[in-house]
Amino acid sequence: MYPLNRNRRLRSSSSMRSLLQEYRLTPNDFIVPLFVIEGNKLKEAIPSMPGYFRFSLDLLAAKAVSLWKQELKAILLFVKVPDNLKDNKGTEALNHNGLMQRAIKIVKDAVPDMIVITDIALDPYSSFGHDGIVEEGKILNDHSVKILSEMALSHAQAGADIVAPSDMMDGRVLAIRNQLEEANFHDTMIMSYSAKYASAFYGPFRDALDSAPGFGDKKTYQMDFGNREEALVETQLDIEEGADIVMVKPGLAYLDIIRDLKNKIHTPIAAYQVSGEYAMLKAAAAQGWLNHDQVMIEQLLCFKRAGAQLIATYFAEEAVKLI
Ligand code: PBG
């Protein structure tokens, strides 16, 4: 009670504040999402994600080397698939010599210790832009899960350390785990997008991969942002099915979900600060309305305070320069 307690004593100097800071950012917190395209020496700008690029495979290898030098140890790969290779079943996703499979190998050759995480969902491969197979306007669950588990195996065979199902089909974590076990990929991990909401924050990402749904939305598989308890149900199921790491997505508007999970589960939690969140800060900073670096660091640290052990963020490289 005042005057015995004067909490401002705890903030009296910069040294005191740094001694007492509860959470800190380090390069070990970050997962770097990377967009990959066919071609040579290509570094394509993404208009709705200023400062972010799609890389062809040769430049991807160089990027991996540069990230490693900055102590960034994990990347999350997404591929932009040419339209002529897209179909309803995402056939190209299973091509052992597909863009993703080659990307995994190239990174692993360039930086063997880099943790390579791959996205598992059909949307970049789907002529409908949906995460699963479409039949009469509906997204089929079990048929999609079969293909997704084969896709995960194919990524494991190419050398992926972690497969990350982002599709939100029921039962996909179990199917992937079984598929990996049967093929003796006991050590390949699963980072499951467990509480993934149907969000308009994914807009710029869908520009980056040209993967927006051709009809309807993703609300029959991704979660309703009005729901909180459901996040725990989804996440607990994924853990029972064999997820090694669980994820909440989007990030900043969903910190309550991260904290709910942190209070109830003991599996590592990742947060995904998504493309729309990146775009918002870039846009506000470009107007001179927000201090880019300060807001960026504040947001990233808030993920840790909320309970995230890992943060997938397009700001990773900019952030490590400041911490
Ligand atoms: C694909 C996928 C999406 C994102 C990650 N994996 C888009 C979607 O579900 O429509 C979004 C990432 C971002 O916005 O940064 N299933």
Side-chain angles (χ1 to χ4, degrees), residues 78 119 121 123 131 166 193 196 201-202 205-206 218 222 249 272 274-276 314:
F78 296 98
D119 187 63
D123 51 333
D131 292 21
S166 69
Y193 290 63
K196 175 169 176 178
F201 281 104
Y202 307 150
F205 173 96
R206 294 174 187 171
K218 298 192 174 183
Q222 298 178 350
K249 179 182 173 194
Y272 198 143
V274 300
S275 57
Y314 303 98

